[in-house]
Structures are given as structure tokens and as C-alpha cells.
Amino acid sequence: MPERSALSRRQALELLLGAPLAAQACRHARPRAYPGRLLGASSQVGHRLRDATLAQAPAEETELGVAIVGAGPSGLSAAWRLERLGYRDFQVFELEPQAGGTSAYGRDGVVPYPWGAHYVPMPSEKNPALVTLLAEVGALSVAPAGQLVPSERALIREPDERLFIDGSWQAGLFPRAGASAEDLAEMARFEQLIARWVAFRDARGRRAFAVPMRLASDAAEVKELDRISAASLLRAQGFKSARVRWYAEYACRDDYGLDLEHTSAWAFLFYFCARVAEPGGPSQPFLSWPEGNGHLVAHLASVAGERLRTNQLVTDVERDARGVRLAVLDAPSGKMRAYRASAVILAVPKFVVPRVLGAYRAAPPSDLAAFQYGSWLVANLHLRCRPASKGFPFAWDNVLYDSPSLGYVVATHQTLADLGPTIWTYYLPLVGDAQAERRKLEALDREQCVDSIVSDLARAHQGLEDAIERIDVWRWGHAMISPRPGFIWGGAREHAAEPLADRIFFAHSDLSGLALFEEAQDRGVRAAEAALRALGRDVPELTPG
């Protein structure tokens, strides 16, 4: 049994919801106890890294061509690219019992449900890797004239978004209900700002912001945006409306787990501009499934097949004259094996790399200090029925205006089942100092997390407590990379992506500074191609360039 937190109820609520909502929640009785689990990454095995090095590994080595460490979207995409190129001498090693990383998903509900990333926007034809993958899973097709057509089953159906404000739900995420003429005028001016950057083209014809981000402009005036915060940008442009600033900050919390003061202005504008084809036009539509991006990682995992090995902790990676040696600990049995690979792809976040890469263990490169990661609380609420909801009807994405959370997505939305049992996936980024927020999250037990979640959502849903059957909670201590000012174009990110000793390659979305599936896939595919070229193979490039 885990130890119960020493925090009082009010203290726990304040840590997650803030003082105003905590005071409001404490005026009511604590929500009833619900069955459920407290989940998270497998930290129990991590302490064995120091004692499971190559020095302790068996002398006998298993040889293979390419070893891929990590089975998140980047590692699985690397495996997918190798397989599609006809190269099958690879293995993927994953510590967790399930592949997927922050795109992991659950299967034990009325439908599968996400534990993290939950959508992918429709790609453009300039991203052939993602187009190819989405076509494989039936999420899009290519019309005779060449245009991309989304599948109706994957395209998020209406209504897609709603916002709870002033006691009622409204359509969309900008709080128009009750907005003043000044609020609306500022919002129109904000949209003009976005349109100007969508229209931008540099001397080489590149957009200011593009997906994947390596297609974006590196012109000085674009890179300069990374030196300031989103808050500084808005102040310089004279934006003062509380509603416009809330809408802007929601974007930062949604994609980056940051507030306006700590988000790079480049990353802020990327959120609004990168997926808009024309000035003043709509953003690319979203594709999703009940399990979110777990649908994509399940397909990628099936391509790897038996070469994907879960519950495997790679503890040591060393380059020598004959290739790369790896020590791998089988977590369930505690047995170690030694491998020798011709090339290795480290598809893990940068904070993990110094723990396993021998060349970095004693003296990690200074570039790695620039990589910071946010903490998130994610919960899945299993409901026997839909509680009452005043105003605009249930949507796929449901956001509360005065909450520090991002609200919830409805896993059954894509199934067209608008009545009966459902699953809500609740997201709460812990915005603030990364280490302090991580300690805050670790200090809370499951019951305190559940108390905060139910207190937050019950304000907007009559009868919610009676509808809940179970609540599972996942604490993500290192959920996603934080694009703080200076990180995107400060040099550390680019340097950290460079291969080591011609045989060790890096692949993770944090190398783009953006925790997006598109970036993870791009990094994984490119690493796979680079690894094969290092082995002397002539490899065509699938990724854009």
C-alpha cells in the first residue's frame, strides 16, 4: 500500500487547482471514494541503471544491425521506416510493458482511451512520411487529382469544441459569450496578427512556421521571435483583453504545458500558424480515434512485430572499434544480455540519454541542460452514463474557462455513441518551475488527485459523482519538452541532434522543441535513414527536405 500524503485536503486542492477553486471545493464534502489505479512510468527499474552496465553483462553478445532504444512514436517510426525499406535486422527495446510513450493508451474500458496525445492534424503533401502512415491506417486517401482526403471515420465530428464559462457551456474555445466590443476588436486584431505570419515567406519562399518544423524559415526576423516570451509579444502588440489573453495562454498550456511568460514567442505563433494554409483560413482539421494517437502507435508496433521487445531496460551503450555494445536488462527476470549493433538509434528524451550513453555519463554535454520537461496529471474517468450539462451539448474537447486544467476529451465521441457509458480523459498541466511542479505531483496520492479532478469537473456537470464508476490517474513527471524562450533557436537543440561517432543517432520530438507526433515521426524516420546510410546503404529520403 502506498503511503498517504501528509498534505491537508485544502493544501492538495490548492496545489492542483489554485486557491480560489480550492476554497470553493472545500465548502463541499470530499467526493466519494472511487475504485481505480495510480499509474506512471516505470521508475522502479530506473535505479538499477548503475548496477547493470556492460561490465556486469555476459561476455556472449547477440549481434544485430540496428538497435532502437525506446518505443515511443520516434522509435516506432524508425522501425517502421527500416521495415518499409526492406531492412529487417533490427530490434526495438522498450522499458515499459507497452509501447507508445506519451501516446500510450488503455484497453480496459467501453472503448480504448488515451493516456496522452490524442490527435494528429491533417498533413500537407509536403510531409510524405505522415501521409504514407495515415494512408496505411485508412485515415486518409489521395484523390486522382492528388489532393488529400480525410477519412470520415478519423475526422473529428461536430461538435468538436466547447467552453464552460459563467455557469454554462458555449460553442468554440474563444469566450465570446459576454465578451465586450473591446474584447471582440482585440480578438479580430489577434487574428490579423496570425494572418500576417501565415502569409510570411522568406527569401527562399519558406513559411515562417511549418510542419515538420525543419521546413520552417530560419530567417533572422523569424528566429528573433524565440528570444522573447509570448507574453512580451502580446504586450508589445498592445493586447490587454483578459479573454484574448486567456485564449492565447490556453494555447500555451495545451501544446506546451507553459504559461505566456515562459513560452517562446516563436512556439506560440507556431501553434496558431503552422497548420493554416492561407491567411485568414481555418486550421487543418484534426484526425483522432477513441485511443487517440495510440491508434497510430499500435499500427507502428504491429509493423515491428516480434522485433519490439518490451520490459527491456537498456542500461549501457558504448561505441567501440567494432560497432556499438549494449547492455539490456530484462525487467521481469532481472537477467542481462549483451548486444553488439552496427548502429544504434537512441529514441529517448534527452534527460535519459546521459543515464545510458557511456560517452555522456561522466560529462554530459552542456547542451543537455537546456532541455526542460513539464509535468502533467492525466486521468481517465469511466462513466456509466452522461451527467447533465447546461448549454451547448457535449463535444469532443470540453474546456473550463476558470480551471488550470485543459478539461477533457471524450473517448466515445468518434464512435457516434452520444448516450450510455463513456470515458473522459482529463488533462492538467502543472505550469511553473519544472522541478518544483514535479515534486508537487509526486507529493500527491491518488485520492487527492481524484478529489481535485472531481471538484474541478463537478461544477460543470450535475450528477457527475453518481455517474462515475472508476477513475484511473497517471502522473507524468517528464511529459513533454518545454519550448521556453531561447530554446528553439538557441543552438543547444540543434547540437544535441548531431550523431555521435558515426554510429549512434538520436531521435525524439524534444529535438524539435515541440512535443508533436509529426516531429517525433520525422525525427525517427530521418534517424533510420541516416543509420542505414552509415552502414553503406543507398537510402531514398521519405521525409521532406
Side-chain angles (χ1 to χ4, degrees):
M1 293 289 290
E3 294 184 10
R4 182 159 183 83
S5 168
L7 297 173
S8 69
R9 185 188 183 203
R10 180 181 286 274
Q11 288 172 326
L13 288 168
E14 286 183 353
L15 283 179
L16 290 181
L17 300 181
L21 289 184
Q24 181 179 340
C26 284
R27 289 196 288 268
H28 303 280
R30 183 190 299 270
R32 68 188 66 171
Y34 299 101
R37 301 164 295 168
L38 179 62
L39 304 169
S42 298
S43 59
Q44 301 92 337
V45 186
H47 70 278
R48 303 172 75 172
L49 279 168
R50 292 182 179 177
D51 302 322
T53 62
L54 281 164
Q56 286 79 42
E60 182 181 357
E61 296 175 337
T62 301
E63 295 192 3
L64 67 153
V66 178
I68 302 172
V69 182
S74 284
L76 292 175
S77 293
W80 173 78
R81 182 58 175 150
L82 292 175
E83 171 66 25
R84 294 298 182 250
L85 285 168
Y87 185 87
R88 298 181 173 87
D89 185 16
F90 67 85
Q91 288 197 37
V92 185
F93 300 101
E94 168 58 41
L95 167 61
E96 302 296 335
Q98 176 186 355
T102 53
S103 292
Y105 65 100
R107 305 182 182 91
D108 58 346
V110 293
V111 292
Y113 52 89
W115 274 119
H118 53 280
Y119 69 88
V120 171
M122 269 290 290
S124 75
E125 70 283 354
K126 294 182 179 181
N127 192 355
L130 187 54
V131 169
T132 302
L133 174 62
L134 292 173
E136 285 186 11
V137 300
L140 60 74
S141 58
V142 183
Q147 68 269 34
L148 303 179
V149 181
S151 162
E152 287 295 330
R153 294 189 63 182
L155 192 66
I156 293 178
R157 69 180 179 97
E158 297 290 341
D160 59 343
E161 298 173 332
R162 67 173 185 165
L163 177 68
F164 183 76
I165 183 171
D166 295 333
S168 182
W169 291 94
Q170 65 160 63
L173 293 186
F174 179 71
R176 293 188 181 278
S180 67
E182 291 78 10
D183 291 326
L184 297 176
E186 275 207 16
M187 186 59 189
R189 192 159 61 82
F190 179 76
E191 291 169 343
Q192 291 169 4
L193 171 66
I194 300 304
R196 288 199 301 272
W197 279 107
V198 170
F200 176 94
R201 297 293 184 274
D202 66 13
R204 294 171 53 187
R206 295 173 299 179
R207 294 166 55 100
F209 309 99
V211 181
M213 63 88 66
R214 68 188 183 98
L215 297 182
S217 173
D218 60 357
E221 60 191 295
V222 177
K223 295 171 67 173
E224 187 71 17
L225 291 165
D226 186 49
R227 298 182 61 183
I228 63 172
S229 69
S232 297
L233 175 69
L234 294 179
R235 283 194 292 268
Q237 296 287 330
F239 289 103
K240 299 178 180 179
S241 165
R243 291 178 181 240
V244 172
R245 291 181 65 85
W246 176 89
Y247 181 73
E249 187 156 84
Y250 170 82
C252 298
R253 293 188 294 122
D254 182 32
D255 257 24
Y256 310 131
L258 296 170
D259 57 20
L260 287 169
E261 292 289 351
H262 295 94
T263 302
S264 157
W266 186 96
F268 172 72
L269 289 171
F270 177 96
Y271 178 96
F272 290 101
C273 300
R275 301 188 182 101
V276 178
E278 301 293 338
S283 179
Q284 289 287 85
F286 289 171
L287 305 174
S288 188
W289 304 266
E291 64 272 44
N293 290 358
H295 188 81
L296 298 177
V297 300
H299 173 75
L300 293 171
S302 72
V303 172
E306 293 182 354
R307 290 160 298 181
L308 168 60
R309 303 187 58 208
T310 56
N311 291 304
Q312 304 297 304
L313 174 64
V314 176
T315 66
D316 213 0
V317 176
E318 291 277 3
R319 176 78 162 99
D320 67 13
R322 295 193 298 118
V324 187
R325 300 177 66 216
L326 299 91
V328 181
L329 176 72
D330 179 77
S333 68
K335 294 182 179 179
M336 288 188 65
R337 294 187 67 180
Y339 291 82
R340 180 173 294 278
S342 298
V344 170
I345 298 173
L346 288 178
V348 294
K350 279 298 181 183
F351 73 87
V352 174
V353 172
R355 302 178 186 176
V356 300
L357 186 56
Y360 286 4
R361 190 173 290 121
S366 58
D367 295 333
L368 301 191
F371 287 74
Q372 297 186 45
Y373 301 80
S375 299
W376 287 62
L377 178 71
V378 179
N380 274 289
L381 289 75
H382 296 251
L383 309 181
R384 62 173 57 89
C385 62
R386 319 296 167 96
S389 180
K390 181 181 177 182
F392 194 77
F394 280 100
W396 171 71
D397 192 14
N398 305 263
V399 178
L400 287 74
Y401 180 77
D402 59 351
S403 171
S405 77
L406 300 174
Y408 60 92
V409 296
V410 178
T412 53
H413 188 75
Q414 292 298 89
T415 69
L416 308 182
D418 292 330
L419 299 173
T422 189
I423 300 173
W424 294 355
T425 307
Y426 174 92
Y427 296 90
L428 175 63
L430 276 70
V431 177
D433 176 77
Q435 293 186 1
E437 296 301 320
R438 198 166 297 122
R439 290 193 297 269
K440 177 191 302 185
L441 189 62
E442 293 170 352
L444 299 170
D445 60 29
R446 177 185 166 275
E447 289 71 21
Q448 291 169 328
C449 294
V450 168
D451 186 3
S452 295
I453 294 163
V454 176
S455 297
D456 189 16
L457 294 179
R459 301 174 295 121
H461 305 89
Q462 294 180 342
L464 173 63
E465 293 188 48
D466 292 332
I468 298 173
E469 291 185 323
R470 139 176 153 233
I471 302 179
D472 296 329
V473 176
W474 192 304
R475 297 183 298 188
W476 290 102
H478 295 82
M480 60 170 58
I481 189 68
S482 301
R484 295 170 181 266
F487 178 67
I488 298 293
W489 293 108
R493 179 186 61 80
E494 299 97 318
H495 293 158
E498 295 174 358
L500 178 67
D502 301 321
R503 284 293 187 272
I504 299 173
F505 302 87
F506 302 105
H508 197 273
S509 61
D510 61 3
L511 295 174
S512 296
L514 305 164
L516 303 175
F517 184 91
E518 300 100 311
E519 300 297 337
Q521 187 202 29
D522 182 60
R523 294 285 174 174
V525 167
R526 290 165 60 196
E529 294 171 351
L532 290 189
R533 292 191 191 102
L535 302 186
R537 294 182 174 242
D538 185 17
V539 179
E541 186 178 79
L542 178 62
T543 56

